[in-house]
Amino acid sequence: MSHTEGYSRRRLLTLAAGVSAVFTFDRALATATSSAASGGQAMQTRAIPSSSESLPVVGLGTYRGFDAAPGDPAYRQLPVVLEELFAKGGTVVDSSPMYGRAEETTGELLSIHEPRSPAFLATKVWTRGRKEGIAQMEQSFSLLRTERIDLMQIHNLLDWQTHLPTLREWKEQGRIRYIGITHYTSSAYDEVEAVLKAEQLDFLQINYALDDRGVEKRILPLCRERGVAVICNRPFGGGELLGRLKGKPLPAWVSDVQVSSWPQLALKFLLAHPAVTCVIPGTGNPRYMADNVKAGFGPTLTDAQRHQLIALVS
């Protein structure tokens, strides 16, 4: 670690602790963070269809986990969550105004990095009305402490016809780099499909999990046809999936694909679909982040392996 990197890390941990002295965290966790840097391998990337820019396949969702304030015990873990992501080559950090304090927390922690962190910043607009949408997005810029947001998404398609012209204008100005839409329920798939067919978008963020595969029928093929990158939210089915798999033995072939846990395998299942660009499991726990990010390494699952996993949860 260089002098600058060490200094940045100390500042990051100081802020997280909310005190003037460096916060002392679990020594074993610090060792794991340093030693698990993938042995020289690089995290897999996928091309964003609209630009061919490479995007690392495992990112971070900030829902719930980053809704914390300085001084909170939960807040003290978040710098290490980001370290785990960045040390393994991940960059995507996804937030939203509806996630409580998540945008502000993200901006605080990322601003400490010197130089600026490698984060691919994604957030959302979630309100009605043009003026209200502009005000909310301006607030996101302020809370995230950035002059440019990589991906601005219309959250749950709320008033999307109103917000889309603003997003396109800001993209032309360079304030945002990509535009997209999001949803998280199968009841919205018809509307999502209609918008994808009618509008040229860079990204779709949608729910997709081993036990929630409704997007495989029409949405994912349409994204491939239309050149739309796909970010998977709720990749563990909202948490129910891991509860069902807990205690079950992993398949005998997991070592062939460099997998050591069910969360990794559940993420690898999604990444084996050719339409998927990135998965964003949400967590505020450094150990979970360290485990999740490993799904971005090693061979892709075969069709036979995917079908075996589907049968296991059916």
Side-chain angles (χ1 to χ4, degrees), residues 2-109:
S2 70
H3 173 74
T4 300
E5 289 170 336
Y7 175 69
S8 298
R9 179 166 177 165
R10 288 194 297 273
R11 288 189 63 199
L12 187 63
L13 293 172
T14 298
L15 174 61
V19 294
S20 58
V22 173
F23 169 61
T24 302
F25 58 94
D26 187 309
R27 187 174 299 276
L29 177 59
T31 301
T33 301
S34 175
S35 64
S38 72
Q41 295 184 44
M43 180 185 286
Q44 295 175 13
T45 63
R46 302 276 169 85
I48 300 170
S50 65
S51 68
S52 297
E53 177 184 353
S54 295
L55 199 66
V57 296
V58 179
L60 169 66
T62 60
Y63 178 56
R64 291 185 177 174
F66 276 60
D67 184 13
D72 295 345
Y75 192 98
R76 298 185 178 192
Q77 300 189 84
L78 300 181
V80 193
V81 172
L82 292 171
E83 286 184 12
E84 291 288 356
L85 176 68
F86 297 149
K88 309 301 193 321
T91 60
V92 177
V93 180
D94 179 80
S95 196
S96 172
M98 72 173 294
Y99 297 170
R101 199 182 184 277
E103 283 186 318
E104 185 172 3
T105 296
T106 299
E108 286 170 350
L109 299 181

Side-chain angles (χ1 to χ4, degrees), residues 279-290:
V279 295
I280 50 167
T283 186
N285 185 311
R287 297 186 188 279
Y288 292 164
M289 187 74 255

Side-chain angles (χ1 to χ4, degrees), residues 26-210:
D26 187 309
R27 187 174 299 276
L29 177 59
T31 301
T33 301
S34 175
S35 64
S38 72
Q41 295 184 44
M43 180 185 286
Q44 295 175 13
T45 63
R46 302 276 169 85
I48 300 170
S50 65
S51 68
S52 297
E53 177 184 353
S54 295
L55 199 66
V57 296
V58 179
L60 169 66
T62 60
Y63 178 56
R64 291 185 177 174
F66 276 60
D67 184 13
D72 295 345
Y75 192 98
R76 298 185 178 192
Q77 300 189 84
L78 300 181
V80 193
V81 172
L82 292 171
E83 286 184 12
E84 291 288 356
L85 176 68
F86 297 149
K88 309 301 193 321
T91 60
V92 177
V93 180
D94 179 80
S95 196
S96 172
M98 72 173 294
Y99 297 170
R101 199 182 184 277
E103 283 186 318
E104 185 172 3
T105 296
T106 299
E108 286 170 350
L109 299 181
L110 293 181
S111 69
I112 297 302
H113 283 264
E114 295 179 356
R116 175 78 181 187
S117 78
F120 180 100
L121 277 175
T123 192
K124 308 174 184 78
V125 56
W126 187 62
T127 188
R128 292 188 181 276
R130 182 177 181 275
K131 290 183 178 180
E132 290 79 4
I134 289 173
Q136 187 179 77
M137 289 188 287
E138 293 287 8
Q139 178 75 350
S140 292
F141 276 92
S142 177
L143 293 175
L144 291 168
R145 303 190 184 192
T146 184
E147 294 181 355
R148 186 176 68 175
I149 290 173
D150 294 288
L151 170 60
M152 183 64 75
Q153 304 154 100
I154 302 172
H155 201 57
N156 294 346
L157 290 173
L158 183 63
D159 204 9
W160 68 267
Q161 298 98 328
T162 298
H163 299 312
L164 194 54
T166 304
L167 266 60
R168 286 183 170 141
E169 180 182 346
W170 286 14
K171 182 180 178 181
E172 290 179 2
Q173 295 171 355
R175 298 196 68 193
I176 58 179
R177 301 177 60 222
Y178 298 102
I179 61 178
I181 58 173
T182 81
H183 222 290
Y184 69 101
T185 62
S186 57
S187 61
Y189 288 174
D190 287 346
E191 185 178 8
V192 168
E193 183 177 0
V195 176
L196 288 172
K197 289 179 176 178
E199 305 291 343
Q200 188 59 54
L201 303 169
D202 299 306
F203 277 84
L204 168 69
Q205 183 180 140
I206 199 74
N207 56 303
Y208 184 29
L210 176 56

